[in-house]
Amino acid sequence: MNTVTLTPKKQSDLYLEVNNITPDMFAGKSTEQIAALPVYVGNTEHPLGEFFTVTGAAGASAAETRIVIKGDSSRLKYIGMKMTAGEIEVEGSADQYVGGWMAGGKIHVQGNVQAFAGVGMRGGELLVDGNAGDYLGAAYRGDWRGMQGGKIYIKGNAGSDLGYFMNGGTIVVDGDVDVFVGTHAEGGTIIIKGNAKSKVGGQMVQGEIYVFGTIDVMLPGYIYRQELEKEVEGMKGKFALFEGDTAERHPKRKGQLQYAKLYLKQ
Amino acid sequence: MTEFLIKNGFVFDPTLKIKGDVADVAIKNGKIVETDAVKKPKVIDASGKTVMAGGLEIHAHIAGPKVNVGRIYRPEDKLFNATAGLKATPTHMNTRMEGGFSIPTTYKTGYNYARLGYTTAMEAAMPPLFARHVHEEMRDTPIIDEGAYPVFGNNWFVLEYIKNREINNTAAYIAWLLEATKGFAIKSVNPGGTEAWGWGLNCLQVTDPVPYFDVTPQEITTGLIEANELLGLPHSLHIHGNNLGNPGNYTTTLDTLKAAEGHKAKNKFHREQVLHHTHIQFHSYGGDKWANFESKARPIMDYVNKHKNITVDVGFVTLDETTTMTADGPFEHHLTELNHLKWANVDVELETAAGVVPYVYSPDIFVCGVQWAIGLEIALLSKDPMRCFITTDHPNAGPFTRYPRILKWLMSQKARDEQIKAFKNSDKVVNGSEIASFDRELTLYEVAAMTRAGPAKALGLSHMYGGLKPGLDADVAVYNFNPEKENSPDEIEKAFSTVQYLFKTGEKIIKDGEIVSNGNKRTLWVHAKVEENPQVMRDIEEKFVKYYTVTKGNYEVHGKHFIPNPLAIEVDAT
Ligand SMILES: [Zn+2]
């Protein structure tokens, strides 16, 4: 695997939109060609090389290309958008939409990520050492197609509206989450190792949520079913199973209504 | 004004009966003129290219509150579908920012019609109460001439007058409302059914009575046809019949069409039909549930072909993700129950309602495949392309920007076969339709009838639009398409996707595929003069005092703010 390193040389006045920083776009290109790729400041186009020094070499394909972004990326939006393979290492923190609509490959952010990380994600892996903002693995504004596949791992805490309209894949948060978890979800797995506040699984149709800590306020649309033994993310324990959200429609399979499952660790 | 001479193109024009002969088209003072009437024209070399009149959209939802609800509640429609404008990029020197796919911004709507070679479009459902909003959006849609059809089929005045068989009063009210809203024609959507839905009901058959008003859809349709012909309006009654979108609805559609029997067009505009049935694809369904859903395009088109006083537009399903929107409120509720996607709904006091639901016509779903087939079957079964028009009921069955793809399917059996093969359930689609057995491929002459001359005649605007006859408006499109060459399906689609040159009332709008001018758009409306009718005027005053939440003064559409460049079509019904 070849590595391309981007070292910032100038900060943009406005946030910089860098949806072209992906292994797919870099693959097979020279450093000069990479430096000529457009990035966006508002509605104006600039060459990537205006803001970054590009060193190293890209691989022949996305899968053979690794990108390292040095320094502070906290004003960069859309890192790794729609990437299908390869790797991105962000040494600092990143702004919104990291890994948005990504279909494969791996992104590692050593700092924090802002809202809409992994939005509409279809595959691959997004690992964040710090905290995540709101709408992690959610759907884009207005859309009903949230995270469809892949895995998101947050070592810190996550904001509100996590897994909004999620349909597949897995989100793991080591820390705590803010309000609204898995709203409108129709599939996928959400694992919260810390605490949740409220509106967990609201209008959720199908899918699974595990909460290892506490939920401040349970939604009234969830019904307690039973206690059971489960192994989740390498941890064994007793969970109380709730099904819901009974305020929402649910599909039938073999004459049985299929609910979303909320497991609360005992 | 500059003179132009478009030389040596392959010309297709039903009004002149030219079927691809190499000919010149001359433009002077905004009109088509004889080729020897231009002295020092700028010459456009159209050799090897196709020349037609500007396209004419007879039915699309492109301006007004429900379109805007779609824009507001579907930000995802603009995702990856927006371009900067105003010189931000070298290819957009003359255009503003554009956004949206199925519900484009007003500017993008105007630009995209122009890019397809279209020069006029009709907004198909104007809620009278929100006419001002409709006109503001049309004003902000550049290049194309536009008009809007106010909806009448669930309007309390109309229901009351028709219940009492007061056709003179119906006509007087229509004339007043066309002027008050600057409307172009009489639209009727799910007649009676939308009002019935206010009572939790619907009118699925033409004999289902409307609660309280106690009239039937059949009576409403007949009454509106009579009022239309009493006034002699340029367009006929424009109907979206009852029972849209349901398996087995083709019998309802035949019942709706029968309302035209015995009626004859009376107007000075050379219009021959008394009833235009819109997006008839949505109304040509067999079976009695989704599992045995099938095409009934044949019985519908057998009937249409035999009855010269009817015109239709198709409403082709384009197999895209789109946004449905209609004044058929109960239908949109039905749809959201089916696909569980977001639903917006508005009741418009005394007049109508509207609903909006996103929809994905997936090639993996059998029903969508059959819907696709039905649209094509309707066009290919049509014996008179001057009475069957190309539409997608934009954005309901798909965005109008797919017209080039529809042309590909209509003009190439190979293109249809490729699509049939690509369906996940192609066997079921073939079983539920006749499309696989069709070998008809439309000619460009027939396409010109279905997109230009036909709609112009049906709208009563053949004195202005739809052809290249000297005296008509100089709306001319030049496509990079050589009809004498063997063209692959994708070459057909590409050639009709971006016009090489476009002229609108004599002004050059597009040059080498780039928009060079925003033109001089006009708003068409119909000014129908009727005898004084004190009863109707009193009824109008009374309804505003008793029921409307706005005053009449805040209802009517006046002045340059709403219509900076009006074009009134005068009708004298006194
Ligand atoms: Zn329509």
Side-chain angles (χ1 to χ4, degrees):
Chain A
M1 181 168 293
N2 288 355
T3 299
V4 177
T5 303
L6 303 178
T7 311
K9 59 179 179 191
K10 169 178 143 188
Q11 284 284 338
S12 163
D13 291 339
L14 296 174
Y15 282 71
L16 204 58
E17 298 183 11
V18 297
N19 47 298
N20 284 332
I21 301 187
T22 62
D24 302 74
M25 291 303 291
F26 283 16
K29 290 195 173 74
S30 68
T31 51
E32 289 76 26
Q33 287 170 319
I34 291 168
L37 284 171
V39 296
Y40 302 89
V41 178
N43 69 355
T44 59
E45 257 183 52
H46 298 256
L48 188 146
E50 191 182 322
F51 298 96
F52 298 94
T53 308
V54 185
T55 54
S61 68
E64 296 159 289
T65 302
R66 180 168 179 265
I67 301 169
V68 177
I69 312 179
K70 297 245 169 231
D72 180 16
S73 297
S74 62
R75 291 172 72 77
L76 304 185
K77 287 182 195 290
Y78 302 104
I79 294 171
M81 185 173 107
K82 292 186 179 175
M83 67 184 272
T84 64
E87 285 179 27
I88 299 179
E89 181 78 23
V90 181
E91 293 195 347
S93 291
D95 194 54
Q96 297 181 344
Y97 293 98
V98 178
W101 303 279
M102 75 184 279
K106 189 177 170 184
I107 300 176
H108 179 211
V109 181
Q110 294 179 11
N112 303 321
V113 295
Q114 291 298 321
F116 293 105
V119 65
M121 184 167 167
R122 287 182 288 142
E125 218 179 308
L126 171 60
L127 173 66
V128 178
D129 292 348
N131 300 323
D134 301 337
Y135 292 96
L136 177 72
Y140 181 74
R141 290 274 190 227
D143 208 337
W144 57 90
R145 289 154 293 203
M147 184 173 179
Q148 313 281 314
K151 185 166 182 182
I152 298 177
Y153 200 116
I154 308 294
K155 289 195 178 164
N157 302 320
S160 70
D161 299 279
L162 179 148
Y164 169 73
F165 275 109
M166 185 174 178
N167 290 330
T170 305
I171 302 176
V172 182
V173 179
D174 276 355
D176 302 335
V177 296
D178 208 332
V179 294
F180 293 107
V181 178
T183 309
H184 290 294
E186 298 212 21
T189 304
I190 297 170
I191 299 162
I192 296 151
K193 296 196 180 163
N195 301 322
K197 289 181 175 167
S198 63
K199 280 75 170 199
V200 179
Q203 291 194 276
M204 194 164 165
V205 180
Q206 285 193 93
E208 294 181 328
I209 300 177
Y210 294 86
V211 179
F212 286 27
T214 56
I215 298 176
D216 288 353
V217 186
M218 273 291 277
L219 279 173
Y222 277 79
I223 300 166
Y224 173 75
R225 298 289 193 211
Q226 57 175 313
E227 195 170 276
L228 35 79
E229 198 76 35
K230 275 257 180 190
E231 192 181 326
V232 188
E233 280 287 299
M235 282 164 74
K236 253 194 190 145
K238 267 201 182 119
F239 288 86
L241 167 63
F242 295 81
E243 286 191 328
D245 180 348
T246 50
E248 181 55 76
R249 74 186 155 86
H250 294 278
K252 260 188 185 165
R253 210 170 296 136
K254 289 180 186 156
Q256 287 289 96
L257 280 170
Q258 304 296 308
Y259 291 98
K261 292 177 162 52
L262 172 55
Y263 296 94
L264 191 54
K265 192 152 183 283
Q266 298 302 291
Chain B
M1 229 175 166
T2 320
E3 298 175 337
F4 294 99
L5 186 62
I6 302 164
K7 276 185 81 82
N8 294 326
F10 297 106
V11 174
F12 293 88
D13 180 17
T15 65
L16 288 170
K17 306 240 175 327
I18 304 181
K19 302 184 175 182
D21 300 342
V22 172
D24 299 345
V25 177
I27 295 173
K28 185 182 178 178
N29 293 332
K31 302 274 185 202
I32 310 270
V33 294
E34 300 289 352
T35 47
D36 56 12
V38 287
K39 300 289 165 251
K40 277 190 194 153
K42 286 195 177 165
V43 175
I44 311 287
D45 178 17
S47 49
K49 296 180 165 55
T50 290
V51 178
M52 292 189 199
L56 213 156
E57 171 67 83
I58 198 167
H59 186 112
H61 303 273
I62 44 180
K66 72 188 172 327
V67 182
N68 219 33
V69 163
R71 293 188 190 113
I72 291 164
Y73 98 146
R74 289 208 66 197
E76 76 277 14
D77 188 67
K78 288 192 184 67
L79 183 64
F80 312 129
N81 262 316
T83 49
L86 288 180
K87 308 187 180 179
T89 57
T91 49
H92 296 84
M93 293 295 280
N94 298 289
T95 52
R96 293 195 183 211
M97 187 169 74
E98 300 172 53
F101 174 71
S102 64
I103 25 180
T105 56
T106 53
Y107 282 88
K108 191 175 188 180
T109 301
Y111 302 147
N112 276 347
Y113 269 117
R115 287 171 182 135
L116 297 182
Y118 276 62
T119 45
T120 304
M122 291 290 167
E123 158 55 46
M126 172 161 73
L129 182 65
F130 298 117
R132 290 178 168 197
H133 181 172
V134 175
H135 281 286
E136 284 174 321
E137 287 200 15
M138 295 203 296
R139 178 198 67 194
D140 288 346
T141 305
I143 303 171
I144 53 173
D145 287 346
E146 279 180 292
Y149 311 151
V151 288
F152 286 95
N154 293 279
N155 176 301
W156 291 3
F157 292 87
V158 168
L159 298 181
E160 284 171 359
Y161 292 140
I162 287 180
K163 179 185 181 174
N164 299 326
R165 292 293 303 150
E166 294 167 4
I167 299 306
N168 268 314
N169 290 345
T170 310
Y173 171 72
I174 288 167
W176 174 81
L177 193 111
L178 288 176
E179 179 165 13
T181 65
K182 301 296 179 284
F184 184 80
I186 304 176
K187 175 75 182 298
S188 174
V189 177
N190 186 4
T194 300
E195 174 58 28
W197 196 49
W199 306 74
L201 302 166
N202 196 352
C203 296
L204 291 176
Q205 302 306 324
V206 299
T207 48
D208 289 350
V210 186
Y212 175 76
F213 293 97
D214 197 30
V215 284
T216 64
Q218 198 163 43
E219 290 164 338
I220 298 167
T221 303
T222 305
L224 288 174
I225 289 174
E226 288 171 6
N228 198 103
E229 299 314 316
L230 192 64
L231 290 166
L233 299 181
H235 191 31
S236 64
L237 170 62
H238 190 110
I239 198 165
H240 148 158
N242 305 82
N243 208 2
L244 174 143
N246 292 320
N249 67 4
Y250 80 105
T251 53
T252 316
T253 309
L254 290 172
D255 289 342
T256 300
L257 295 177
K258 278 180 190 138
E261 280 177 19
H263 295 282
K264 217 174 158 316
K266 292 190 193 82
N267 64 97
K268 61 169 192 187
F269 300 96
H270 309 292
R271 162 177 61 83
E272 288 181 57
Q273 90 281 9
V274 296
L275 184 66
H276 176 83
H277 199 303
T278 187
H279 43 67
I280 201 150
Q281 174 275 128
F282 283 127
H283 304 262
S284 303
Y285 296 165
D288 56 12
K289 51 182 175 291
W290 295 114
N292 62 14
F293 183 74
E294 61 176 348
S295 169
K296 286 289 178 188
R298 191 172 285 278
I300 293 292
M301 287 315 287
D302 281 349
Y303 187 90
V304 170
N305 283 333
K306 273 192 217 120
H307 294 82
K308 278 203 174 332
N309 63 349
I310 293 172
T311 56
V312 298
D313 67 81
V314 177
F316 292 96
V317 164
T318 63
L319 303 170
D320 285 293
E321 175 182 326
T322 191
T323 312
T324 67
M325 51 181 64
T326 167
D328 194 339
F331 172 74
E332 291 291 357
H333 181 254
H334 176 64
L335 198 61
T336 191
E337 294 282 301
L338 279 176
N339 76 358
H340 308 300
L341 297 183
K342 52 193 168 181
W343 171 55
N345 176 67
V346 178
D347 174 66
V348 181
E349 57 193 32
L350 285 77
E351 295 176 349
T352 180
V356 187
V357 176
Y359 200 80
V360 182
Y361 291 96
S362 166
D364 293 347
I365 296 173
F366 143 73
V367 170
C368 299
V370 175
Q371 289 177 305
W372 169 85
I374 294 170
L376 298 174
E377 286 175 8
I378 286 164
L380 295 169
L381 284 166
S382 171
K383 291 203 172 127
D384 183 0
M386 286 293 284
R387 294 196 289 117
C388 177
F389 315 131
I390 291 178
T391 65
T392 58
D393 187 20
H394 166 90
N396 283 300
F400 70 80
T401 41
R402 290 294 191 220
Y403 287 167
R405 190 165 291 178
I406 292 162
L407 292 190
K408 169 178 88 173
W409 288 323
L410 292 175
M411 291 169 65
S412 161
Q413 189 187 6
K414 185 165 167 248
R416 296 195 292 269
D417 288 345
E418 281 170 8
Q419 182 55 55
I420 292 168
K421 248 186 258 149
F423 284 126
K424 192 173 165 190
N425 303 292
S426 50
D427 291 353
K428 281 176 82 183
V429 172
V430 168
N431 282 337
S433 67
E434 295 186 49
I435 192 68
S437 66
F438 284 20
D439 59 6
R440 184 174 175 191
E441 296 184 333
L442 292 190
T443 63
L444 280 178
Y445 186 75
E446 290 167 319
V447 167
M450 288 181 167
T451 55
R452 275 94 174 149
K457 185 177 176 192
L459 287 167
L461 296 172
S462 55
H463 59 292
M464 291 168 58
Y465 301 143
L468 298 167
K469 208 190 274 177
L472 295 182
D473 281 9
D475 298 350
V476 188
V478 180
Y479 297 97
N480 197 1
F481 185 81
N482 185 336
E484 294 194 336
K485 254 181 51 195
E486 189 65 41
N487 289 287
S488 73
D490 288 344
E491 281 166 344
I492 299 173
E493 182 172 349
K494 184 164 177 266
F496 289 96
S497 290
T498 310
V499 79
Q500 283 294 297
Y501 288 92
L502 182 72
F503 297 85
K504 174 64 189 158
T505 43
E507 187 164 342
K508 196 189 323 174
I509 302 293
I510 290 182
K511 184 190 170 207
D512 299 328
E514 297 295 337
I515 291 173
V516 293
S517 162
N518 279 283
N520 189 29
K521 89 112 15 63
R522 296 175 297 188
T523 302
L524 296 148
W525 68 281
V526 172
H527 181 221
K529 272 193 228 97
V530 291
E531 306 271 3
E532 292 260 311
N533 188 322
Q535 187 202 326
V536 168
M537 294 325 284
R538 196 182 57 235
D539 291 346
I540 291 168
E541 296 297 335
E542 186 190 284
K543 282 257 191 328
F544 272 98
V545 171
K546 274 175 96 173
Y547 298 119
Y548 273 111
T549 54
V550 298
T551 63
K552 196 160 129 255
N554 287 324
Y555 179 95
E556 292 165 314
V557 177
H558 292 301
K560 293 269 173 208
H561 170 78
F562 297 105
I563 309 183
N565 198 8
L567 176 58
I569 308 288
E570 298 289 337
V571 177
D572 191 350
T574 54

